[in-house]
């Protein structure tokens, strides 16, 4: 018997044709899409949480332009046309 992790179900027969039919089905494809969508959301949330924690610990400055440029350097304004 073949177990599909995405669908959380056993296939009645473990043959290549049954697997192929199952994997090409609408419900299986939706389950695969949902699985990876959820995984991507979890990865994004993890990155947000790590960035927030680093910011709160002072490892990341509030904005890259919050402090004056080093050595008093100024960024020239764009040329007027």
């Amino acid at each position: 018997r073949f177990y599909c992790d995405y669908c959380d179900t056993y296939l009645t027969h473990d043959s290549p044709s049954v697997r192929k039919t199952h994997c090409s089905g609408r419900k299986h494809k939706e389950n695969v899409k949902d699985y990876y969508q959820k995984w991507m959301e979890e990865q994004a949330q993890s990155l947000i949480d790590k960035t927030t924690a680093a910011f709160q610990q002072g490892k990341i400055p509030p904005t890259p332009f919050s402090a004056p440029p080093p050595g008093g350097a100024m960024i020239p304004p764009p040329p007027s046309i």
Side-chain angles (χ1 to χ4, degrees):
R1 290 173 53 171
F2 176 75
Y3 181 76
C4 178
D5 290 319
Y6 299 110
C7 300
D8 191 28
T9 188
Y10 285 98
L11 302 181
T12 54
H13 303 289
D14 188 14
S15 68
S17 64
V18 170
R19 284 189 192 190
K20 184 177 179 181
T21 301
H22 171 77
C23 291
S24 63
R26 176 187 56 85
K27 197 71 170 157
H28 174 79
K29 289 179 180 180
E30 286 178 8
N31 289 337
V32 171
K33 185 185 93 176
D34 291 345
Y35 174 84
Y36 284 105
Q37 180 70 34
K38 183 179 176 186
W39 183 82
M40 287 295 292
E41 290 170 0
E42 289 171 357
Q43 295 299 309
Q45 189 61 51
S46 174
L47 182 60
I48 291 167
D49 293 344
K50 288 177 184 176
T51 303
T52 301
F55 176 78
Q56 290 173 342
Q57 293 172 2
K59 295 179 181 178
I60 300 174
T63 64
F65 302 107
S66 62
M74 295 289 294
I75 300 172
S80 57
I81 298 176

